[in-house]
Amino acid sequence: MLHVFYSISAAVALVSNVFLLSLLVNPDPHPVGVQAAIWPKPAYACQGHRTVQVSSQFQFNLPQDAHPRLVEGAARYRNRIFNSDFVSPVPMSVEDAEAEDRSQVGTLELKSLAIDVEDRTGIIALGLGIDESYRLAIAYDEDPDAEFELDAAACKKIAKEPFGQGFKGILKAKTIYGALHGLETFSHLVTNNPHDGTREIAQTPLLVHDRPLFPHRGVLLDTSRNFLSMVSLYRTIDAMAMNKFNVFHWHIVDSPSFPIVLDDQVAGGEEADEDENEDSGRGDTESNEGETGEYVYKERKHKTQTSSRPNLPLSQLAAKGAFSDKMVYSKKEIIDFVDYAMNRGIRVIPEVDMPGHAWSWSKAFPEITTCLDGFPSYSRFSAEPPSGQLNPVHPKTYQVIQGVYDQVLPLFKDKFAHGGADEVNFNCWNTTASVTELMERKNIPRSKEGFDRILDEFTERQHGMLRQAGKRPIVWEEPLLAHDLKTIKKNKDTVVQVWTSAENIKKTVRQGHDVITGSADYWYMDCGFGDWLGNWTMGKSWCAYSDWQKAYSFNPLQGLNAKESKKVLGGEALLWGEQVDNTNLDTKLWPRASAVAEVLWSGNSDDSSTGLWDGRKQHKNTLRTIEALNRINEHRFRMEAENILAEPLQPLWCVKNPGHCNWPILDTKPEDTES
Amino acid sequence: MLSLSLCLATVVALTTVTAQAPSALAYSSSLPIQEIQGIPAVNPVKQPWIWPLPQNWERGSNTVKVSKSIRFEGKGARQPIVSKAIKRYQDLMFKKEDYPMIPYNWSTTDNKPSRSTLSTVVIDIKSNDDHLDLDTDESYTLTVPISGKAVLQAETIYGALHGLETLSQLVQYYPERKSYYVPNAPWKISDFPKYKHRGILLDTARHYYPIEVIEKFIDTLSWNKLNVFHWHMIDSTSFPYVSKKYPELATHGAYTSRHVYTAKDIKHIVQFAKERGVRVIPEMEAPGHSTSWGYGIPEIASCPNAQPYFGYTVQPPAGQLNIAHPKTKEVVHGLIDEWAELFPDSFFHAAGDEVVMKCWENDTYITNHLQNTNQTLMQLFENFVLDMEDHVRQKKKTVMVWQEMLLEYHFNLPKDTVIQVWVGSEGVKEVTSKGYKTIVSAQDYWYLDLGFGRPRSNPYPEVQGAGFNHWNRVYSYDMRANLTKTEADLILGAEATMWGELADPNNVEDRLWPRAAAFSERLWSGYENPKGEELVSADAILRLLPWREQLVLRGVRAGPLNQGFCTRNPLDCFQPPNPAA
């Protein structure tokens, strides 16, 4: 083993020395050969050694009847390609720069990229597991419909292909969402020549065959603990699209605030706002994207039941529970936002957390909440202030939940909704008279098992409402792993999101549930900034900071067999809101979430069959971190050029001198202190 | 052990507080609880919302309206630097927050405004001298009566600037009345800093900061009554200074031709800072951390970018000044000559940190020179450093160096050298016990750039960097710990650092603020008030929360200290006495 490292280290040193000479002899701060690497890394790619120019008249050629999402997407990418002043600060490797043939720059122009989408009119609705693959070719009369898995021979053939005037660009995809990913990739390949502003593509001919490892690739933002403006949310969607994320998990309501503006519910099912029917119709979950690509309103299944719904002043939830009447989201804002995200291939999944984390409901409906305690007793009832849970035995609790769901769920077109259910505190219910009285009456013991039963009944009713609205529920891990709820166990289609530890993934899939990964030990982006309780001088974060490399090292399939692996839908980068608001959202999230994005899209190892690093079986060096560093450094600047305040991962010198700031490849761990 | 016992102490202290006031209303028994948009806002106002807290303050129980066309009178108001500051504060005083996260003001009265309006402030400054230095008197007194003119008195214009800042913080916007008030008048404030040297180090070599970003940084320093910008301008990674005599250093050593600071830029920054009472102290990083010099003048660099760098430097790229080469001394002297003029401050930082001997030991130029001159490497190193420092002294400057010069290399430094401590808090004792003056930058409390992993790609994902110093830890550090009175008196002040490996204009404000504000209060207000009462973090958080909101209102991207609920209800978010619950 040691020999291998020695030779790797020697190779690195050799390359570095060559580079060092060139740096000292010709310290041109603007090397022409700049890296144009793709983030996240595609599944398969072959590249040659010729640079071509992108014509200033360059067009994306779309089918006449292409879906508006694709048409708008192409326009968006054309705009970025030609208007961005982004120049990668990362130079090409010495070998690549030497091999690159620029003799045809100025004579060879790429005039168009033909986009061919099988489902060009968008019949296939955006949802879990749709085909997101694409094939991109910039080659001489080359059709990308070769074997999906490009092999070394195919790559060799492509690279040797003589280049004449007949070369062309082709992008093929099964769905418009695959095509959007292909356009994103294409935009990463186009570079801005800093000397004359022309656009170029280096290392052609090229072939990219790409598809994601996991169908669920998400970012969680929490808009309850601190308010995030719509501007911040839209910017996050832009950044997500640049990283091929496809799920925005909106943790919209929690204890600290209730920021969705709802209408009062009027008995008989008519909601107070005249416009409301129109809104809920547009976003109705029973609707589907028809052949025209427009949303078609269909009658809700449970519409008839609304006649039995009582008067409920649901508008008071935000009026009294939001931080202010400016720190709220209107239905119109949510609908537009969901639309914006879907236009970029991103599903929006809402989470109204319950029955724990529910203090914010109490101002409007005190009777349905309990344990509303401040300092110092909140700690008896919740992990963090303010404490407050829904009262599971009060009939009105369910009326309010139903009322909230009636209005909230239709705004989100996705087939999934998150039911929350994390950190339910039984001590709270155990000190709530109405709960304990009912338990005594029904002879339910006031033990963990007894409260599990209470929670089970709550969850059954809550999930019933979600299912009735056409949603497949997602829950946090506790209902299954801590409470063993029958409702979850009998409904195997309930998706479980693991958050406390990666070790719980196996436990969850073994019980037959699909799982979403992204636990605090790797993918919590909010960890490591100290405790935020007011007076706790030496308080530390409960979870450690994950730098980008730690985030990158996570393998969602660690220790799972092939069958179990199929149950892993993907994962999420989670940014909880205790210490996050508009001021620091971007820097906390990017580019660390980009590391998460690559793991979910194409993995973190080139040396394993799954694409994922198996830390226990393989040596650490098979993790792709060192190769990925140059690409993520570049990608961070690419995001910055799109006004996303992604933060630096290294001194700029290191970015500009690839390979020079790696930890020396030694078989020992680095010491723990340095300046 | 230390942190454990401190934890316990906190718990004990808390228990006492809660025993007195079980319902979290420790400070609000006489106060109305306001209900704003459904959220009860307990008004915790033991101390006024002034950051950093003034030394002496008395307040009354009236509320005075403030005219938006408030005038500043007196000879002092016409002093050029003061009159420019007045223009700035006429804007800063009237920042408007229609939907504040803190929906209550800090009045301890019923908020009924008095009939009179504050429309005039008289500024009285004893000396018109605009010299700014370590010993500049920064004290001021401010009185705001119930009716009539407010009076701001100071020995120097810089004291007056601090007074204007305090005045601006007294003015509160009342959204419900859509106008501005000073609550709790009459006010009598008499204020001065506990420590003279209150700085932040900004590293513009690892990442470049445009002039506008540095301006905003200096503005924010002044709002926090910090008075030193320690400019770590050059380092191994880049040489952004455009020297008149050696322009090739920047031509080849800066990241690009736009990532530079010219003499004109520096003069502008120095003047900009002076107008805000901020001294700019340049650091000439040498002879370690000097790769970037070698791009322009190759013969003055040893082991430039040696590969693998490991063993030649503590972090890449490797490269130190060739301390044997005559050209090196010439260039260093030349740059000191230029900087001595560009930076008028009487302090000059001559660095001297993190030298790695292996770099020089493997440089044949140096080993040959040692043989020829029959001296050891340490002698050569000491001679180089002392010569550099002597050259600085010839410019009538006080020499600042990093602690290694004294504690690791044991060089024979004159007693007037100011030693900056950084390798852990224990260095303060070592330096002061040797009788040297010190500036404290204890890495384990006041390095604000740490906690984000290492700036390397490495195959060991579980390796962590040093820990994050969160605001309360920053606030907790007492630099006088274990010192005798004589030793403690040698502390001139302190600097929090913002090293540049993982910071640039995108995230620097969030990294610095509001944690650097917590630091600033320790230096300005100290650890006890003049009555000897301890200043504790449980009180500070109640003022730091609104101060952070104020910084955001002033355009600083200061990160939130906690969730919005806690900003609204800080007492409900204290650590409970029994954290295990």
Side-chain angles (χ1 to χ4, degrees):
Chain A
M1 285 301 272
L2 199 66
H3 291 295
V4 179
F5 302 132
Y6 180 74
S7 62
I8 290 172
S9 136
V12 167
L14 188 69
V15 171
S16 307
N17 282 336
V18 171
F19 193 77
L20 166 66
L21 287 175
S22 70
L23 191 77
L24 290 180
V25 173
N26 177 23
D28 182 355
H30 297 292
V32 171
V34 291
Q35 175 180 291
I38 303 161
W39 190 278
K41 188 174 181 171
Y44 304 96
C46 301
Q47 287 177 289
H49 294 294
R50 287 186 197 82
T51 304
V52 299
Q53 211 160 319
V54 181
S55 164
S56 57
Q57 268 85 51
F58 173 85
Q59 289 296 337
F60 289 113
N61 290 337
L62 294 158
Q64 289 266 313
D65 53 351
H67 190 279
R69 256 179 207 157
L70 186 56
V71 178
E72 284 164 24
R76 211 161 54 232
Y77 283 105
R78 193 185 186 283
N79 190 45
R80 192 198 294 172
I81 287 164
F82 284 99
N83 294 338
S84 168
D85 56 4
F86 168 63
V87 176
S88 173
V90 183
M92 265 187 182
S93 72
V94 177
E95 301 97 312
D96 284 346
E98 278 174 2
E100 193 66 11
D101 174 4
R102 297 182 53 84
S103 63
Q104 285 172 296
V105 175
T107 57
L108 267 187
E109 280 197 332
L110 183 68
K111 296 200 172 63
S112 65
L113 184 76
I115 302 177
D116 179 10
V117 180
E118 212 166 272
D119 175 34
R120 61 184 181 279
T121 54
I123 293 168
I124 296 168
L126 180 61
L128 178 75
I130 60 157
D131 190 313
E132 294 179 275
S133 71
Y134 67 91
R135 294 165 185 214
L136 177 66
I138 296 167
Y140 179 64
D141 277 342
E142 185 64 38
D143 193 314
D145 283 340
E147 289 295 302
F148 188 81
E149 302 198 4
L150 296 172
D151 57 15
C155 286
K156 216 169 177 180
K157 178 174 164 283
I158 258 299
K160 280 191 175 165
E161 199 75 26
F163 234 28
Q165 290 300 325
F167 83 105
K168 60 188 178 186
I170 301 171
L171 172 63
K172 288 194 173 192
K174 294 272 197 306
T175 66
I176 53 178
Y177 307 103
L180 288 172
H181 292 316
L183 284 167
E184 181 66 43
T185 296
F186 180 74
S187 77
H188 293 198
L189 293 168
V190 179
T191 58
N192 179 356
N193 184 328
H195 296 295
D196 58 9
T198 56
R199 294 333 196 224
E200 296 177 350
I201 299 179
Q203 299 188 303
T204 63
L206 71 87
L207 274 184
V208 177
H209 287 191
D210 204 6
R211 48 106 185 94
L213 273 186
F214 294 101
H216 183 111
R217 305 181 305 281
V219 168
L220 175 145
L221 290 189
D222 165 6
T223 58
S224 176
R225 290 187 171 84
N226 279 298
F227 182 73
L228 295 172
S229 68
M230 284 317 297
V231 174
S232 292
L233 298 184
Y234 275 98
R235 198 174 59 250
T236 301
I237 295 294
D238 290 344
M240 285 172 67
M242 294 183 80
N243 290 279
K244 297 188 172 75
F245 275 114
N246 67 354
V247 173
F248 180 76
H249 175 167
W250 192 348
H251 187 85
I252 195 164
V253 174
D254 200 291
S255 263
S257 75
F258 197 109
I260 320 179
V261 181
L262 302 177
D263 301 303
D264 289 340
Q265 178 170 292
V266 179
E270 294 301 315
E271 283 148 355
D273 189 338
E274 285 291 311
D275 295 328
E276 175 48 30
N277 278 333
E278 198 185 314
D279 281 348
S280 60
R282 269 198 67 197
D284 195 283
T285 53
E286 290 306 305
S287 73
N288 210 334
E289 293 178 84
E291 301 212 353
T292 57
E294 294 300 309
Y295 293 102
V296 180
Y297 175 71
K298 287 182 189 166
E299 188 83 358
R300 271 200 297 253
K301 275 184 202 158
H302 57 267
K303 192 77 179 171
T304 48
Q305 297 180 356
T306 57
S307 57
S308 62
R309 304 236 156 115
N311 285 320
L312 281 177
L314 296 175
S315 67
Q316 297 306 299
L317 282 165
K320 292 180 174 171
F323 288 133
S324 84
D325 57 7
K326 285 282 166 73
M327 296 185 181
V328 290
Y329 309 106
S330 71
K331 289 182 184 177
K332 171 87 168 61
E333 282 175 323
I334 293 172
I335 287 167
D336 289 349
F337 173 73
V338 169
D339 222 37
Y340 185 88
M342 289 176 78
N343 283 340
R344 285 150 185 79
I346 295 167
R347 306 155 53 202
V348 183
I349 297 178
E351 178 188 358
V352 177
D353 203 355
M354 66 180 80
H357 291 264
W359 182 87
S360 61
W361 304 53
S362 68
K363 296 291 121 183
F365 297 102
E367 64 275 29
I368 71 164
T369 50
T370 179
C371 326
L372 309 170
D373 266 299
F375 179 83
S377 51
Y378 70 81
S379 60
R380 290 157 53 211
F381 302 132
S382 73
E384 61 183 46
S387 65
Q389 291 190 173
L390 295 182
N391 182 336
V393 305
H394 200 296
K396 192 166 180 185
T397 303
Y398 299 94
Q399 292 174 358
V400 175
I401 295 171
Q402 183 70 63
V404 168
Y405 275 165
D406 279 348
Q407 294 189 45
V408 171
L409 295 179
L411 306 174
F412 299 87
K413 293 157 186 166
D414 203 73
K415 295 280 184 201
F416 287 78
H418 203 298
D422 56 319
E423 300 186 314
V424 177
N425 182 304
F426 287 163
N427 192 39
C428 163
W429 286 344
N430 198 20
T431 52
T432 303
S434 58
V435 177
T436 54
E437 278 162 20
L438 178 123
M439 291 173 84
E440 261 163 48
R441 219 166 46 240
K442 291 197 169 180
N443 231 349
I444 300 172
R446 282 166 67 178
S447 61
K448 180 181 173 297
E449 289 68 30
F451 287 107
D452 282 345
R453 266 177 69 185
I454 299 288
L455 180 60
D456 192 38
E457 280 173 34
F458 174 90
T459 307
E460 190 170 3
R461 294 180 72 172
Q462 179 208 359
H463 285 201
M465 295 179 208
L466 289 173
R467 289 175 194 281
Q468 203 167 37
K471 304 288 186 187
R472 183 174 163 193
I474 306 173
V475 289
W476 296 106
E477 67 185 43
E478 290 99 317
L480 181 70
L481 300 183
H483 304 300
D484 219 22
L485 298 190
K486 284 194 197 110
T487 314
I488 308 292
K489 299 185 86 149
K490 83 176 174 223
N491 293 300
K492 294 288 181 203
D493 67 335
T494 309
V495 178
V496 175
Q497 184 160 11
V498 167
W499 68 275
T500 58
S501 160
E503 287 169 11
N504 288 339
I505 297 168
K506 202 176 184 78
K507 290 181 198 158
T508 306
V509 295
R510 282 202 171 156
Q511 298 204 45
H513 289 270
D514 286 343
V515 66
I516 295 168
T517 68
S519 40
D521 37 5
Y522 291 93
W523 285 355
Y524 268 33
M525 302 281 118
D526 53 300
C527 292
F529 296 92
D531 200 280
W532 44 271
L533 291 172
N535 56 333
W536 202 7
T537 304
M538 293 299 159
K540 294 218 183 319
S541 299
W542 69 276
C543 49
Y545 182 82
S546 277
D547 64 17
W548 81 272
Q549 301 181 71
K550 172 96 195 233
Y552 194 74
S553 72
F554 179 55
N555 175 357
L557 305 182
Q558 183 77 56
L560 305 186
N561 64 33
K563 195 176 157 221
E564 290 164 344
S565 296
K566 288 204 180 97
K567 306 298 282 180
V568 178
L569 300 181
E572 295 178 1
L574 302 98
L575 185 63
W576 295 101
E578 284 88 345
Q579 290 155 300
V580 180
D581 70 6
N582 296 315
T583 58
N584 60 357
L585 165 67
D586 286 16
T587 54
K588 283 245 179 16
L589 200 51
W590 310 107
R592 287 187 296 146
S594 301
V596 174
E598 179 153 302
V599 174
L600 292 170
W601 181 270
S602 59
N604 53 15
S605 171
D606 294 330
D607 298 344
S608 78
S609 55
T610 56
L612 292 159
W613 175 57
D614 185 345
R616 279 179 299 191
K617 286 185 188 152
Q618 299 173 40
H619 192 269
K620 293 167 191 296
N621 294 344
T622 63
L623 192 58
R624 199 160 61 199
T625 323
I626 289 173
E627 184 276 329
L629 176 64
N630 296 326
R631 287 183 297 109
I632 198 171
N633 272 339
E634 176 190 52
H635 193 54
R636 175 251 164 169
F637 282 92
R638 184 181 289 125
M639 288 194 279
E640 187 186 67
E642 298 301 310
N643 300 317
I644 294 141
L645 292 176
E647 66 179 14
L649 300 173
Q650 291 194 308
L652 187 51
W653 188 91
C654 300
V655 175
K656 291 166 74 90
N657 295 275
H660 283 221
C661 296
N662 292 333
W663 193 259
I665 302 175
L666 303 169
D667 203 20
T668 54
K669 284 189 182 181
E671 297 156 35
D672 236 354
T673 55
E674 68 174 73
S675 76
Chain B
M1 271 316 280
L2 181 69
S3 65
L4 180 64
S5 58
L6 278 168
C7 261
L8 288 173
T10 317
V11 170
V12 172
L14 264 167
T15 316
T16 330
V17 170
T18 49
Q20 289 163 354
S23 68
L25 301 177
Y27 307 135
S28 57
S29 53
S30 64
L31 308 173
I33 295 176
Q34 300 175 36
E35 179 104 357
I36 303 216
Q37 295 200 310
I39 298 192
V42 175
N43 187 349
V45 276
K46 184 180 176 188
Q47 296 162 335
W49 286 5
I50 304 170
W51 195 275
L53 189 68
Q55 300 294 349
N56 303 289
W57 50 273
E58 287 172 37
R59 61 184 170 187
S61 54
N62 277 273
T63 301
V64 177
K65 191 173 179 185
V66 181
S67 163
K68 274 203 83 175
S69 51
I70 189 165
R71 289 175 51 249
F72 292 80
E73 285 182 351
K75 217 174 108 197
R78 294 193 293 278
Q79 198 283 339
I81 287 180
V82 177
S83 84
K84 277 189 184 176
I86 287 168
K87 284 208 181 70
R88 292 197 303 274
Y89 279 104
Q90 276 169 332
D91 175 43
L92 293 172
M93 282 165 81
F94 300 111
K95 289 286 175 195
K96 190 171 106 180
E97 178 74 288
D98 278 318
Y99 295 91
M101 274 312 292
I102 297 177
Y104 44 88
N105 64 67
W106 47 265
S107 165
T108 56
T109 64
D110 61 1
N111 289 343
K112 262 188 195 142
S114 71
R115 293 245 171 88
S116 72
T117 297
L118 176 63
S119 53
T120 310
V121 181
V122 179
I123 302 184
D124 175 15
I125 301 170
K126 285 228 173 94
S127 161
N128 235 348
D129 181 9
D130 71 357
H131 180 70
L132 177 63
D133 218 328
L134 180 73
D135 291 318
T136 296
D137 187 318
E138 295 177 282
S139 69
Y140 68 92
T141 60
L142 175 66
T143 56
V144 181
I146 296 170
S147 63
K149 299 174 178 180
V151 178
L152 169 59
Q153 285 179 306
E155 294 293 320
T156 69
I157 56 177
Y158 302 105
L161 297 186
H162 293 313
L164 282 171
E165 176 57 41
T166 299
L167 175 65
S168 78
Q169 294 187 27
L170 288 178
V171 178
Q172 298 285 303
Y173 181 64
Y174 285 40
E176 68 275 20
R177 295 204 194 98
K178 299 204 182 306
S179 44
Y180 297 85
Y181 294 88
V182 171
N184 281 104
W187 281 94
K188 276 176 80 175
I189 294 171
S190 144
D191 199 9
F192 57 88
K194 274 279 162 65
Y195 292 95
K196 294 173 180 175
H197 184 113
R198 307 180 304 280
I200 308 272
L201 176 149
L202 187 69
D203 168 3
T204 63
R206 289 182 174 86
H207 283 101
Y208 177 81
Y209 293 83
I211 300 298
E212 317 81 75
V213 177
I214 295 180
E215 285 178 358
K216 195 172 166 198
F217 164 72
I218 291 168
D219 258 330
T220 318
L221 292 186
S222 73
W223 300 336
N224 287 279
K225 296 192 172 75
L226 292 167
N227 67 354
V228 172
F229 164 27
H230 174 156
W231 195 344
H232 186 85
M233 195 196 294
I234 55 175
D235 204 294
S236 269
T237 46
S238 78
F239 198 104
Y241 170 60
V242 182
S243 161
K244 199 171 164 190
K245 200 167 172 194
Y246 306 103
E248 63 272 31
L249 287 168
T251 314
H252 300 299
Y255 282 132
T256 75
S257 56
R258 278 190 291 180
H259 291 83
V260 294
Y261 303 108
T262 63
K264 198 177 151 207
D265 293 335
I266 291 169
K267 280 181 193 154
H268 169 78
I269 288 293
V270 167
Q271 180 62 23
F272 186 94
K274 182 179 177 179
E275 289 175 5
R276 284 150 184 81
V278 175
R279 302 158 55 201
V280 184
I281 299 177
E283 178 186 347
M284 186 160 295
E285 177 66 280
H289 285 275
S290 305
T291 321
S292 63
W293 304 49
Y295 294 130
I297 310 175
E299 64 268 35
I300 66 173
S302 289
C303 74
N305 206 5
Q307 295 293 332
Y309 67 84
F310 198 65
Y312 291 91
T313 174
V314 292
Q315 65 170 224
Q320 296 179 175
L321 292 185
N322 181 339
I323 48 176
H325 203 291
K327 178 79 176 174
T328 310
K329 201 178 270 190
E330 179 204 311
V331 174
V332 167
H333 284 197
L335 292 176
I336 290 172
D337 293 345
E338 290 182 18
W339 280 15
E341 257 182 57
L342 287 173
F343 296 94
D345 200 83
S346 71
F347 274 48
F348 191 108
H349 204 300
D353 61 317
E354 294 192 319
V355 168
V356 178
M357 295 304 159
K358 189 178 161 192
C359 170
W360 286 327
E361 285 160 3
N362 283 271
D363 185 331
T364 48
Y365 189 101
I366 290 185
T367 48
N368 288 343
H369 179 83
L370 291 178
Q371 263 183 348
N372 296 341
T373 55
N374 197 22
Q375 57 179 332
T376 65
L377 181 56
M378 282 310 280
Q379 284 168 335
L380 178 67
F381 179 24
E382 180 166 19
N383 289 338
F384 178 88
V385 166
L386 294 183
D387 169 78
M388 179 175 166
E389 292 170 12
D390 278 347
H391 198 75
V392 171
R393 278 190 195 86
Q394 280 168 27
K395 305 285 169 190
K396 308 242 181 312
K397 307 271 186 188
T398 301
V399 175
M400 254 174 102
V401 293
W402 293 107
Q403 69 176 67
E404 289 98 317
M405 293 280 97
L406 184 69
L407 301 183
E408 193 176 332
Y409 309 128
H410 308 289
F411 289 159
N412 188 17
L413 303 175
K415 277 280 149 65
D416 65 353
T417 313
V418 176
I419 313 291
Q420 186 163 12
V421 171
W422 69 277
V423 191
S425 39
E426 63 275 12
V428 182
K429 176 82 182 174
E430 280 190 75
V431 168
T432 52
S433 65
K434 291 181 195 296
Y436 287 88
K437 289 178 189 149
T438 184
I439 307 278
V440 182
S441 294
Q443 181 196 38
D444 40 357
Y445 294 95
W446 287 347
Y447 267 36
L448 301 183
D449 57 301
L450 299 181
F452 304 99
R454 289 158 181 275
R456 313 279 169 79
S457 172
N458 73 64
Y460 304 99
E462 62 281 347
V463 173
Q464 293 287 311
F468 179 81
N469 293 316
H470 83 119
W471 83 267
N472 215 331
R473 185 178 167 86
V474 170
Y475 197 79
S476 74
Y477 175 49
D478 188 340
M479 42 185 179
R480 309 163 306 175
N482 306 321
L483 302 191
T484 65
K485 168 94 174 52
T486 321
E487 289 164 350
D489 287 345
L490 288 167
I491 298 175
L492 296 182
E495 291 177 8
T497 65
M498 184 44 59
W499 294 102
E501 284 88 346
L502 299 174
D504 78 354
N506 283 2
N507 62 357
V508 72
E509 289 186 356
D510 175 43
R511 286 274 200 276
L512 276 172
W513 313 106
R515 290 187 296 147
F519 163 81
S520 80
E521 178 154 292
R522 281 313 190 196
L523 294 177
W524 180 276
S525 316
Y527 298 90
E528 301 92 17
N529 68 16
K531 290 175 205 148
E533 294 160 341
E534 201 184 334
L535 303 180
V536 297
S537 74
D539 292 332
I541 183 66
L542 304 179
R543 291 178 294 108
L544 187 56
L545 285 165
W547 179 233
R548 179 262 168 179
E549 298 297 311
Q550 186 61 226
L551 288 174
V552 173
L553 207 53
R554 291 181 181 195
V556 180
R557 222 181 284 126
L561 287 152
N562 51 25
Q563 51 180 344
F565 170 86
C566 302
T567 306
R568 289 255 155 116
N569 307 276
L571 296 175
D572 281 334
C573 292
F574 273 21
Q575 171 65 15
N578 177 10

